[in-house]
């Protein structure tokens, strides 16, 4: 595909018209960039509202909710940019310094993805992401570097990171052509971790670069403590292991997640009287065991 633009910005909208409009209005557009909004089957036709309000924005409305990866993949297929910037619709820019991220991508043929610094959009804007630590192979846990810290410039040196952050990642089109699209089995959560592993296996590096900062409102559509999130975290952590772990570590991780983490979570939710969360854990385990993935959307 011939690139018509230098930069394509892609965001997925699901019942998030207000947030998506705020994102659009924080971006200084020029003739060498495009923005594509995927309306992931919102309750109302928000794609049409956005298209009428911002005639320079390309919108696509899907017939059903395709999840995070599915929605982004629709945008990736439609995009005509040399570089694709996937950003959550609940993010905003205060300074649009994407050129610095592009320079980082162009600095080496082995760099496939670069992520900006991500700060929360509330309070004093503490750091959410300045790179990731590696996942521990048994617990399948890691941490975001700088999470919750006040930004005093302590993470302003660019460095490689094992995983991209799904809220904001700039990617070379040629790298996606080689690696493939984002895996859609997850629907929500962990798909960008799996995709990062796909890039690494294809000999690409992932970098964090603080030259650009994105401000994230965080999980406005799913909620931080919702049964929906509990379901997908339970199921998809196991799915990540199934798709990427090998040998003894795969079975040790299975044992840890199923025999220790799941019972702990069930007891915690039982103690708090959160029946819907108990159902979410059980359904997550059940669907994983039955290999029920892809476009399944958990319903309470």
């Amino acid at each position: 595909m011939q690139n018509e633009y230098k930069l394509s910005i892609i965001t997925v909208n699901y019942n998030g018209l207000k947030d998506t409009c705020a994102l659009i209005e924080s971006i200084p557009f020029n003739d060498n960039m495009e923005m594509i909004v995927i309306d992931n089957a919102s309750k109302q036709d928000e794609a049409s509202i956005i298209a009428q309000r911002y005639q320079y924005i390309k919108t696509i409305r899907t017939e059903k909710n395709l999840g995070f990866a599915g929605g982004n993949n629709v945008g990736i297929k439609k995009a005509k940019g040399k570089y694709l910037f996937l950003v959550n619709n609940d993010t905003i820019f205060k300074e649009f310094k994407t050129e610095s991220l592009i320079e980082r991508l162009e600095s080496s043929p082995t760099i496939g993805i670069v992520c900006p610094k991500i700060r929360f959009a509330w309070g004093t804007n503490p750091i959410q992401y300045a790179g990731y630590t590696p996942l521990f192979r048994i617990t399948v846990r890691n941490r975001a570097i700088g999470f919750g810290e006040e930004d005093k410039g302590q993470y302003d040196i660019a460095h490689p990171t094992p995983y991209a952050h799904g809220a904001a990642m700039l990617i070379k089109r040629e790298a996606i052509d080689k690696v493939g699209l984002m895996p859609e089995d997850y629907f929500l959560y962990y798909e960008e971790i799996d995709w990062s592993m796909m890039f690494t296996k294809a000999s690409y590096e992932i970098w964090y670069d603080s030259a650009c900062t994105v401000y994230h409102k965080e999980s406005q559509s799913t909620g931080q403590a919702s049964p929906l999130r509990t379901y997908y975290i339970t199921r998809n952590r196991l799915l990540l292991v199934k798709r990427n772990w090998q040998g003894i570590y795969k079975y040790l991780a299975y044992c840890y997640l199923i025999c220790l983490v799941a019972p702990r979570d069930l007891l915690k939710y039982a103690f708090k009287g959160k029946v819907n969360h108990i159902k979410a854990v059980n359904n997550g385990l059940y669907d994983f065991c039955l290999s029920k993935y892809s476009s399944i959307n958990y319903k309470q």
Side-chain angles (χ1 to χ4, degrees):
M1 178 190 294
Q2 185 174 1
N3 299 311
E4 296 183 16
Y5 302 95
K6 186 173 186 179
L7 179 66
S8 294
I9 302 171
I10 299 168
T11 194
V12 177
N13 173 81
Y14 177 66
N15 300 325
L17 179 63
K18 182 179 178 181
D19 283 333
T20 301
C21 291
L23 168 61
I24 292 170
E25 291 171 6
S26 73
I27 298 172
F29 288 90
N30 60 56
D31 293 338
N32 207 17
M33 58 191 289
E34 65 173 349
M35 183 170 184
I36 302 170
V37 176
I38 311 303
D39 183 21
N40 227 353
S42 298
K43 293 179 180 179
Q44 64 173 329
D45 185 358
E46 296 184 352
S48 295
I49 298 172
I50 292 167
Q52 291 173 4
R53 190 175 298 180
Y54 312 100
Q55 297 183 8
Y56 50 92
I57 301 296
K58 300 176 182 178
T59 61
I60 302 171
R61 179 170 169 81
T62 62
E63 294 182 357
K64 64 178 182 178
N65 188 343
L66 302 176
F68 178 77
N72 274 301
N73 286 342
V74 170
I76 290 170
K77 293 174 187 177
K78 183 73 173 179
K80 298 179 180 179
K82 182 178 181 180
Y83 303 104
L84 309 184
F85 198 12
L86 277 56
V87 293
N88 276 17
N89 75 310
D90 62 347
T91 61
I92 56 170
F93 294 88
K94 295 184 180 180
E95 293 181 282
F96 193 71
K97 295 184 176 180
T98 55
E99 194 61 38
S100 298
L101 299 183
I102 290 174
E103 289 175 4
R104 177 64 60 185
L105 278 181
E106 292 178 339
S107 69
S108 171
T110 62
I111 299 178
I113 303 176
V114 60
C115 290
K117 180 187 291 182
I118 302 174
R119 294 171 64 181
F120 289 109
W122 40 261
T124 57
N125 306 126
I127 296 170
Q128 181 179 14
Y129 170 88
Y132 275 127
T133 62
L135 283 165
F136 187 59
R137 285 188 289 180
I138 296 176
T139 64
V140 200
R141 292 187 179 278
N142 68 334
R143 65 179 181 86
I145 297 170
F147 185 89
E149 296 180 23
E150 294 298 314
D151 187 5
K152 299 178 181 179
Q154 67 271 43
Y155 301 110
D156 282 358
I157 297 176
H159 59 81
T161 180
Y163 319 111
H165 195 294
M169 44 188 172
L170 183 68
I171 312 163
K172 288 176 179 171
R173 158 70 74 179
E174 63 184 55
I176 295 177
D177 292 341
K178 180 179 178 180
V179 172
L181 296 171
M182 199 182 304
E184 297 185 14
D185 284 349
Y186 294 88
F187 195 80
L188 282 174
Y189 303 114
Y190 284 100
E191 55 274 276
E192 74 271 25
I193 300 296
D194 195 307
W195 207 27
S196 296
M197 292 178 178
M198 291 168 61
F199 272 80
T200 301
K201 289 173 185 175
S203 299
Y204 282 108
E205 294 178 350
I206 301 164
W207 276 66
Y208 156 80
D209 196 322
S210 66
C212 177
T213 298
V214 171
Y215 294 83
H216 190 198
K217 300 170 189 175
E218 177 64 27
S219 295
Q220 297 295 302
S221 60
T222 61
Q224 273 295 288
S226 68
L228 180 144
R229 184 179 187 276
T230 298
Y231 167 81
Y232 283 113
I233 291 294
T234 301
R235 191 196 70 175
N236 290 351
R237 202 181 292 152
L238 288 161
L239 177 56
L240 185 74
V241 171
K242 180 179 181 179
R243 284 174 52 91
N244 295 283
W245 271 232
Q246 303 295 329
I248 187 65
Y249 283 104
K250 173 180 283 191
Y251 298 101
L252 288 173
Y254 280 162
C255 288
Y256 176 81
L257 294 173
I258 295 172
C259 301
L260 292 177
V261 175
R264 180 205 66 192
D265 289 347
L266 289 170
L267 286 172
K268 176 181 67 177
Y269 293 132
F271 181 77
K272 295 180 178 179
K274 294 186 175 182
V275 177
N276 286 336
H277 284 78
I278 294 172
K279 292 179 180 178
V281 172
N282 286 328
N283 287 336
L285 293 172
Y286 181 77
D287 285 352
F288 170 75
C289 292
L290 293 183
S291 299
K292 294 174 67 176
Y293 311 130
S294 193
S295 61
I296 297 169
N297 191 0
Y298 173 69
K299 298 183 185 300
Q300 299 183 28

